[in-house]
Amino acid sequence: MARTPSTMLALGTRAPDFLLPDTVSGKMRSFADLKGGKGTLVMFICNHCPFVIHVNPELVRLGNTYIPKGIGLIAISSNDVENYPEDHPDKMRETALKEGYPFPYLYDATQQTALDYQAACTPDFYLFDSADLLVYRGQLDSSRPGNNIPLSGEDIRKALDDLLEGRAVSEDQKPSIGCNIKWKPDF
């Protein structure tokens, strides 16, 4: 497994907008359509990465816990499907339904959205406040495939809870680690 860290986009960055197809509903969706009233968590994931497969249960729990509290959750796959067909939008739909994602799973065919967010790995997480400004980017928690640390979502849950309670989100943030984004050959 490749172990690629997040690039750690600058805190305070405004959420880049996008218009991408939701692989489950088939509708075109934008950041503005999907953002939450109290904040928005954008997650770059994919179907085949062992790091994402490892965290999928916690992603579902996050959605079920925080969407009702006013946090929008958005998952995006930006991988090159020509060379990684297991990440094709049809397979994304299958994964979203099988896992029970309570959030949309969008496909970034041009990879421009990943570039705009400076996404480097899957999973890569970006939490924006109600003004669409970045307050957290980094790891879900310290659990990784095979390291025997229980999956808890501790780091993101702390940031989400601080945001919802009106507390400053700590700037002491650890990069996410995962498989690199599968860029198209011309990138």
Side-chain angles (χ1 to χ4, degrees):
M1 285 183 290
R3 294 180 61 87
T4 301
S6 300
T7 59
M8 303 299 277
L9 184 65
L11 294 172
T13 298
R14 181 164 303 283
D17 204 2
F18 50 75
L19 185 62
L20 300 171
D22 178 359
T23 59
V24 175
S25 72
K27 295 179 183 175
M28 296 299 288
R29 306 306 302 261
S30 69
F31 180 88
D33 295 335
L34 299 172
K35 73 181 197 169
K38 296 183 179 177
T40 308
L41 180 61
V42 176
M43 309 173 288
F44 285 84
I45 65 172
C46 69
N47 295 340
H48 82 277
C49 170
F51 292 90
V52 175
I53 292 166
H54 177 73
V55 302
N56 266 332
E58 182 58 21
L59 300 184
V60 171
R61 286 190 293 270
L62 283 172
N64 290 334
T65 300
Y66 290 98
I67 291 170
K69 294 180 180 184
I71 300 293
L73 270 76
I74 305 165
I76 301 171
S77 178
S78 300
N79 280 355
D80 170 19
V81 298
E82 191 169 310
N83 291 305
Y84 298 88
E86 59 271 30
D87 290 328
H88 188 277
D90 292 341
K91 302 272 188 194
M92 290 171 61
R93 182 178 194 283
E94 289 173 18
T95 297
L97 295 173
K98 181 184 93 173
E99 296 294 335
Y101 288 166
F103 44 79
Y105 192 13
L106 311 180
Y107 176 52
D108 177 22
T110 66
Q111 301 185 311
Q112 186 60 52
T113 301
L115 289 171
D116 291 345
Y117 280 77
Q118 296 179 23
C121 59
T122 56
D124 217 347
F125 299 96
Y126 302 84
L127 177 61
F128 297 91
D129 65 13
S130 60
D132 305 336
L133 300 177
L134 186 65
V135 296
Y136 180 87
R137 74 290 192 243
Q139 69 177 8
L140 179 71
D141 59 29
S142 295
S143 182
R144 304 287 185 267
N147 75 356
N148 296 319
I149 295 174
L151 186 61
S152 67
E154 176 181 23
D155 294 53
I156 287 198
R157 285 178 179 275
K158 172 85 170 88
L160 284 161
D161 292 341
D162 286 347
L163 180 65
L164 288 170
E165 296 297 322
R167 295 184 298 262
V169 175
S170 172
E171 292 186 15
D172 182 19
Q173 301 172 10
K174 298 175 185 166
S176 187
I177 302 257
C179 299
N180 62 302
I181 300 274
K182 305 307 184 213
W183 300 106
K184 293 179 181 181
D186 55 341
F187 272 84

